[in-house]
Amino acid sequence: MPPLSAKWLSSTASICRFLVKGYHRTQFSPSLRTYVSEAAHALQKISLRDYQEECIQSVLAAVKNGHKRLGISLATGAGKTVIFTQLIDRIKPNSDEASQTLILAHRRELVEQAARHCTNAYPHKTVEIEMGNMHASGTADITIASIQSINSGERIEKFDPDRFKLVLVDEAHHIVAPQYLRTLEHFNLDKKFDDSPTLVGVSATFSRTDGLRLGAAIDEIVYHKDYVDMIGDKWLSDVVFTTVETKVDLRGVGSGANGDFQTRELSRVVNTKQVNEVTVRSWLAKAPGRKSTLVFCVDLAHVDGLTEAFRQFGVDARYVTGETPNIERSNLIDAFKRQEYPVLVNCGVFTEGTDIPNIDCIIIARPTRSRNLLVQMIGRGMRLHPGKADCHIIDMVSSLATGIITTPTLFGLDPSEIVEKASVQDMQRLKASREIAESPPARKVTFTDYDSVLDLIADTSGERHIRSVSQHAWVQVAPQKWILSGPSGTYIRLERESTPEDNINFVAWEIRSLPGKVSKSKSPYAKPRKLLQASTLIDAVHGSDRYASEKYPHYLISRYQRWRDGPPTDNQLEFLNKLRGEKDKLGPTDITKGKAADMITKLRHGARGRFAMIDADRRRKERKHVMEQKKMKAMREREKVVVGPLLV
């Protein structure tokens, strides 16, 4: 487009004010300066897409019916800014003096983008910016304000609420944040009033995960258009999905206030040399020929680590973070748009307000529990662009036992579903086939269940290993403790212990029973005598077996004695049945003599106490699991967008 003419500038107060009045002190980003210089001949009437006009009509109908605080839910790339700039002339004022419009946004890029659209769409209106060192007069036809700046000091006081007919909020899922609520209160929009301006909030992810209800600021969602529908209608780029399982274990990663993973802990397990290398190798293998790849990381450390990993493989990767200076950021983005380098890495910068239509590949290198965040990341690659056939989404999937959201879950598939270059249609067909097939059991916390101490003493799984290396009747009485019973109550206790040097050792003790007449203490046992110490369990078992073979009768300690397969004694049954109910008594044919002896050994060496600990731990895990499931369910419900009234 040719540059603005002096004659045109002098006759158009909006552009003069936009460029000159009070703003010469502030340096615009190169992209904004370029756009304004080209704007003069871009004044042709904008041709709206069918769904954009449908959306506008939904807003107008709601206003006509007396609604004041409205929400519009549209996918990234749907032209949200086009829609709300069109609303400026479509919505009529409540009074003769209420003719002004305020647009609120929380990021510089969004403010500049709105300014460009408004200058283009309304060349004969005054357009001003309230942001940083740029101070609006408060009387312009259209003011675009940074939410941080308009709340700074007394800057909001120059805006007379009675003179405004319309307040527009971009990325309106932030609208219940304190700064927004204070601004809405100034414009009499904290509640519904007949004489207040109309409020329209626009967002691609019209929900929150932190428990704050959008109904505190918006009364009703009047229009919703999902990205899947828009891809099908060819308004957004086709998308293909590939999931790559990284085996990263997220079980130790806590949750933040918003329900998603805690950032620092998540970075610790994701930002490793091995995982970063897997990410780069996956991109090289799965996305050859992609010219503009955007990578989402966890934090600054992850950005550094993954950028360096790309460079080690000879890939020109550059990064942008929240700490990148504005001019440097703009230069990096402009070079990326010109496809001067193939990979741009970021954390938390490009999830909102990003217009880089040439992006043809996205790497999701940060796991998330938030459907909103996942949609925001994917949405960066959905804009149409000449020569772009589709956008390839590479989802680096981690451990799935933590409520993680992956690209397959967006289509109702199991998060563990591994897909290879699957289109939206492929994902929908896969979902249909899974619904026809038998549903898999729900994922749940798994642990060994002992419904009673009886189940605990009957469980022989703990003896499998030690009895695979020993011929003797060892019984496991604790996770790292085993007992071999000898004559007259004497026994050998083998246990694992850690030394101060953190070396793991296995120690065997002999605990001899004392005849009643000899014992002068309350304990029927002599002081434990240390038999041996070994560095491995096998060595400790063999040493203990050798000692027992020399000191104890073979028929008592061997597992293969015939008596062990015989019926239990009356005394054994009486001892065990004390724990059982009247309808659950053991009989002579229910158990062998050897099994009964093992169960009694477990009871005599702390099975009751161990069961109490196991049962308490089980109940704690169950409570935690139920709470996590409730939190995840509530989070999913909050992330659903439905046309209609919102709860306060």
Side-chain angles (χ1 to χ4, degrees), residues 179-208:
Q179 288 184 324
Y180 279 99
L181 293 178
R182 284 196 295 271
T183 304
L184 296 183
E185 184 178 5
H186 175 81
F187 288 93
N188 298 318
L189 284 167
D190 52 326
K191 295 180 182 178
K192 180 181 176 181
F193 296 105
D194 292 338
D195 58 348
S196 62
T198 297
L199 169 67
V200 180
V202 190
S203 177
T205 50
F206 229 132
S207 57
R208 292 182 67 93

Side-chain angles (χ1 to χ4, degrees), residues 268-292:
R268 177 176 50 80
V269 298
V270 171
N271 182 30
T272 66
K273 184 177 180 180
Q274 180 183 6
V275 175
N276 289 339
E277 185 174 312
V278 169
T279 301
V280 177
R281 289 185 181 276
S282 298
W283 178 77
L284 290 170
K286 303 295 182 182
R290 296 286 168 168
K291 296 179 180 179
S292 303

Side-chain angles (χ1 to χ4, degrees), residues 175-468:
I175 200 169
V176 289
Q179 288 184 324
Y180 279 99
L181 293 178
R182 284 196 295 271
T183 304
L184 296 183
E185 184 178 5
H186 175 81
F187 288 93
N188 298 318
L189 284 167
D190 52 326
K191 295 180 182 178
K192 180 181 176 181
F193 296 105
D194 292 338
D195 58 348
S196 62
T198 297
L199 169 67
V200 180
V202 190
S203 177
T205 50
F206 229 132
S207 57
R208 292 182 67 93
T209 59
D210 56 6
L212 297 175
R213 292 191 180 275
L214 291 167
I218 291 178
D219 297 322
E220 186 171 5
I221 304 291
V222 297
Y223 190 80
H224 173 61
K225 189 77 169 177
D226 193 76
Y227 69 96
V228 174
D229 297 328
M230 295 190 63
I231 291 173
D233 294 339
K234 304 301 181 183
W235 293 120
L236 293 178
S237 169
D238 283 335
V239 182
V240 293
F241 298 93
T242 295
T243 52
V244 181
E245 193 169 2
T246 63
K247 303 294 186 182
V248 171
D249 188 354
L250 301 176
R251 286 174 295 180
V253 179
S255 298
N258 63 354
D260 207 347
F261 295 112
Q262 204 281 331
T263 301
R264 182 176 297 179
E265 294 178 10
L266 181 62
S267 179
R268 177 176 50 80
V269 298
V270 171
N271 182 30
T272 66
K273 184 177 180 180
Q274 180 183 6
V275 175
N276 289 339
E277 185 174 312
V278 169
T279 301
V280 177
R281 289 185 181 276
S282 298
W283 178 77
L284 290 170
K286 303 295 182 182
R290 296 286 168 168
K291 296 179 180 179
S292 303
T293 296
L294 183 63
V295 184
F296 287 95
C297 293
V298 179
D299 60 3
L300 298 181
H302 193 202
V303 168
D304 288 339
L306 193 49
T307 302
E308 182 59 29
F310 272 104
R311 291 172 178 173
Q312 288 177 355
F313 279 82
V315 178
D316 184 4
R318 307 178 194 181
Y319 64 85
V320 171
T321 71
E323 298 179 357
T324 306
N326 291 331
I327 294 178
E328 181 183 347
R329 178 192 297 191
S330 296
N331 290 335
L332 282 166
I333 293 173
D334 289 343
F336 187 61
K337 288 181 177 179
R338 294 191 297 269
Q339 299 182 336
E340 294 178 7
Y341 61 96
V343 176
L344 179 58
V345 184
N346 87 105
C347 66
V349 174
F350 297 126
T351 51
E352 298 174 331
T354 303
D355 188 359
I356 310 177
N358 56 290
I359 294 171
D360 60 0
C361 182
I362 287 177
I363 297 178
I364 302 172
R366 60 143 303 147
T368 181
R369 288 184 174 129
S370 170
R371 183 184 186 276
N372 280 0
L373 179 57
L374 186 63
V375 169
Q376 285 175 329
M377 292 187 287
I378 292 172
R380 299 311 107 192
M382 290 186 179
R383 296 184 187 274
L384 298 172
H385 186 70
K388 172 179 164 182
D390 55 40
C391 181
H392 192 171
I393 310 296
I394 301 177
D395 191 353
M396 307 303 296
V397 179
S398 302
S399 164
L400 297 170
T402 51
I404 191 172
I405 293 293
T406 67
T407 46
T409 61
L410 298 179
F411 297 87
L413 293 166
D414 190 275
S416 62
E417 195 78 51
I418 301 298
V419 295
E420 172 67 30
K421 293 186 177 179
S423 67
V424 171
Q425 292 76 22
D426 293 335
M427 296 287 240
Q428 291 172 327
R429 283 194 292 268
L430 190 59
K431 179 179 185 292
S433 67
R434 293 293 185 271
E435 288 175 344
I436 294 172
E438 183 178 354
S439 300
R443 294 179 178 273
K444 61 181 181 179
V445 175
T446 57
F447 41 82
T448 303
D449 285 323
Y450 298 111
D451 292 330
S452 70
V453 69
L454 304 174
D455 295 332
L456 175 61
I457 63 176
D459 182 12
T460 60
S461 59
E463 283 85 53
R464 290 173 188 167
H465 177 56
I466 195 168
R467 291 189 176 184
S468 70

